[in-house]
Amino acid sequence: MPSPAFRPAPRSAPGARLARALCALLAAACAAPAFAGAADAPTREQLASEGRDLSPEEWQALVGGRTVWYRISGEVWGRESYRAEPGRVTFQFPDGECLEASWSYVEPWFCFDFGEALGGGPPHCFRHIRHAETLWALSRSGEPQSIDRIDSTPLTCGVDPTS
């Protein structure tokens, strides 16, 4: 996912949004959730080797009908609102803009397809991992994202999610 300083390009420039998102995904640094210090954050390698991948059934049981909050470098990066039925999600960027996606699972990857909203291209894939009782999202090449919380807070698109 893009860095907290990222501000999405206007909807009229989906290619620019994708380029920024992909560049930031590769460069983003991650901190542990708010209740842990940055020194406590596991490395990408630790998550991959020591963490336990969640199955799609486990993930859906945790997130179905709920909202997942992600942090990068201790800052709210965005939120995802999952439908009660599997396969659909709304992602909200830090500025409040929302994008719809479908998701699927090909072990061990949860892949999110935003279609033309991000200029087309391949889906964005992540492993959902439990490490030391904390949940993480680990992309194929970027840094880990801490999952700060999962709750029933609804998304209000167009409104800053940090408030």
Side-chain angles (χ1 to χ4, degrees):
M1 292 295 186
S3 69
F6 171 78
R7 288 291 179 233
R11 286 195 185 277
S12 61
R17 173 186 278 286
L18 177 62
R20 286 185 188 180
L22 292 176
C23 289
L25 172 65
L26 297 174
C30 180
F35 54 84
D40 298 331
T43 65
R44 172 180 186 74
E45 292 74 24
Q46 287 173 313
L47 287 171
S49 65
E50 300 169 10
R52 184 181 67 78
D53 285 285
L54 276 66
S55 70
E57 295 80 16
E58 289 174 294
W59 182 247
Q60 184 63 29
L62 284 171
V63 302
R66 303 181 80 200
T67 299
V68 180
W69 294 66
Y70 296 94
R71 288 188 178 269
I72 296 176
S73 298
E75 298 293 322
V76 172
W77 158 235
R79 301 187 296 175
E80 282 179 321
S81 178
Y82 284 81
R83 311 296 188 281
E85 68 284 347
R88 296 293 304 164
V89 65
T90 302
F91 183 82
Q92 183 180 40
F93 288 94
D95 71 350
E97 181 180 356
C98 292
L99 294 177
E100 298 292 321
S102 61
W103 68 270
S104 59
Y105 181 77
V106 178
E107 189 172 358
W109 302 101
F110 291 82
C111 294
F112 299 82
D113 186 353
F114 290 91
E116 291 304 312
L118 289 178
H124 302 271
C125 298
F126 297 85
R127 291 170 60 188
H128 293 126
I129 296 174
R130 183 178 301 277
H131 182 272
E133 300 309 312
T134 302
L135 296 174
W136 297 86
L138 184 64
S139 71
R140 292 184 193 266
S141 59
E143 293 300 317
Q145 298 174 38
S146 62
I147 296 175
D148 185 43
R149 66 182 185 258
I150 300 171
D151 63 23
S152 58
T153 304
L155 295 186
T156 305
C157 296
V159 176
D160 182 347
T162 60
S163 57

